[in-house]
Amino acid sequence: MIERSYKRDPDELRPIKFTRNFTKYAQGSVLVEFGETKVLVTAFIEEKTPKFLHDSNQGWITAEYSMLPGATQERTQRERFKVSGRTQEIQRLIGRAIRAAVDLEKLGERTITIDCDVIQADGGTRTASINGAFIAVYDALKSLKDNKVIQEIPIKEPIAAISVGIVDGYELLDLDYKEDSRADVDANAVLTASGDVIEFQLTSEGKPISQITLMSLLQLANQGIKNIIEMEQNKLDL
């Protein structure tokens, strides 16, 4: 049996914590913790949309992601002028995931900008960011409803994200950095509460894997995501 952090079973999540209203000024904010991975997520609302959506009667959700200098054992350089390809990929993933959860027409001609700042990284930062982003955006939308700007919170369906992979022949849920750095197969899944797939990114570092193994990993991710969505629903009274 493989030894894991927190003495977890292969299909067990790390300890998860969501601390809502973590900052003062953002309409939605949460500190999300997956084990030793910690991400501060904020959601700001602006009464405008990008040019390509002018007069469309719908809103937009976009995201920015950054790894703060002290998040890893070696200092990470700030991306001041140009973001890396990895950062661009993660930002787009977060934006796509949250847009899938929100009815953009009911949002109205507004933009929600999600900022995900990794303050401590131990694997799974992009999936932790997505989970925190869903809660932060929900709270931002709730502030609009509470202020009678919109009539209802335009959430179509809760979503969540988690990593899965194969390490030393074991299929594992919610990989930490030690596991992720030596995984033969590494995947990130974003699913809805009903189990529909928004995103499933999988890479095999060595030999190709069978479709049966792929489906097994997706099923493992679905199991973890159901647990995360249950936590979200309990937090948000969904």
Side-chain angles (χ1 to χ4, degrees), residues 12-117:
E12 191 174 352
L13 295 163
R14 289 176 285 180
I16 298 171
K17 184 178 181 182
F18 298 111
T19 306
R20 293 165 74 190
N21 304 312
F22 195 76
T23 63
K24 180 177 180 179
Y25 299 111
Q27 288 95 337
S29 68
V30 59
L31 177 67
V32 54
E33 301 173 63
F34 274 64
E36 294 299 317
T37 289
K38 301 180 182 183
V39 187
L40 173 60
V41 184
T42 59
F44 273 93
I45 302 172
E46 296 177 282
E47 296 293 323
K48 62 180 182 179
T49 56
K51 289 182 179 180
F52 68 86
L53 283 177
H54 283 185
D55 300 320
S56 66
N57 296 315
Q58 76 170 55
W60 187 245
I61 298 174
T62 187
E64 295 189 11
Y65 167 97
S66 67
M67 187 86 69
L68 297 188
T72 56
Q73 289 186 355
E74 295 184 4
R75 184 181 184 277
T76 302
Q77 292 289 332
R78 295 184 189 273
E79 296 178 324
R80 295 185 184 275
F81 306 109
K82 184 179 180 181
V83 299
S84 67
R86 175 182 181 273
T87 297
Q88 288 185 18
E89 175 200 351
I90 294 173
Q91 292 178 165
R92 290 168 180 164
L93 172 62
I94 297 166
R96 285 195 303 270
I98 305 304
R99 287 195 295 272
V102 176
D103 188 324
L104 297 177
E105 290 186 359
K106 291 181 179 178
L107 173 60
E109 294 191 16
R110 300 177 178 87
T111 296
I112 299 178
T113 301
I114 304 162
D115 287 288
C116 303
D117 291 300

Side-chain angles (χ1 to χ4, degrees), residues 108-143:
E109 294 191 16
R110 300 177 178 87
T111 296
I112 299 178
T113 301
I114 304 162
D115 287 288
C116 303
D117 291 300
V118 179
I119 60 177
Q120 186 166 284
D122 187 33
T125 61
R126 73 185 66 193
T127 51
S129 295
I130 290 168
N131 296 319
F134 177 76
I135 292 176
V137 167
Y138 176 92
D139 283 341
L141 294 169
K142 185 175 184 298
S143 75

Side-chain angles (χ1 to χ4, degrees), residues 199-220:
E199 198 100 13
F200 188 57
Q201 305 173 331
L202 182 145
T203 302
S204 178
E205 296 289 348
K207 61 183 180 181
I209 63 169
S210 69
Q211 292 186 26
I212 293 173
T213 300
L214 184 150
M215 293 307 298
S216 178
L217 287 170
L218 182 57
Q219 187 175 21
L220 180 61

Side-chain angles (χ1 to χ4, degrees), residues 219-232:
Q219 187 175 21
L220 180 61
N222 187 43
Q223 172 188 325
I225 282 172
K226 283 183 176 179
N227 291 333
I228 297 168
I229 286 178
E230 184 177 349
M231 295 178 204
E232 293 174 351

Side-chain angles (χ1 to χ4, degrees), residues 127-164:
T127 51
S129 295
I130 290 168
N131 296 319
F134 177 76
I135 292 176
V137 167
Y138 176 92
D139 283 341
L141 294 169
K142 185 175 184 298
S143 75
L144 288 178
K145 181 177 180 292
D146 290 345
N147 289 317
K148 303 187 186 306
V149 177
I150 56 177
Q151 295 183 340
E152 60 181 289
I153 298 173
I155 294 291
K156 294 189 289 188
E157 190 176 9
I159 62 101
I162 200 63
S163 64
V164 288

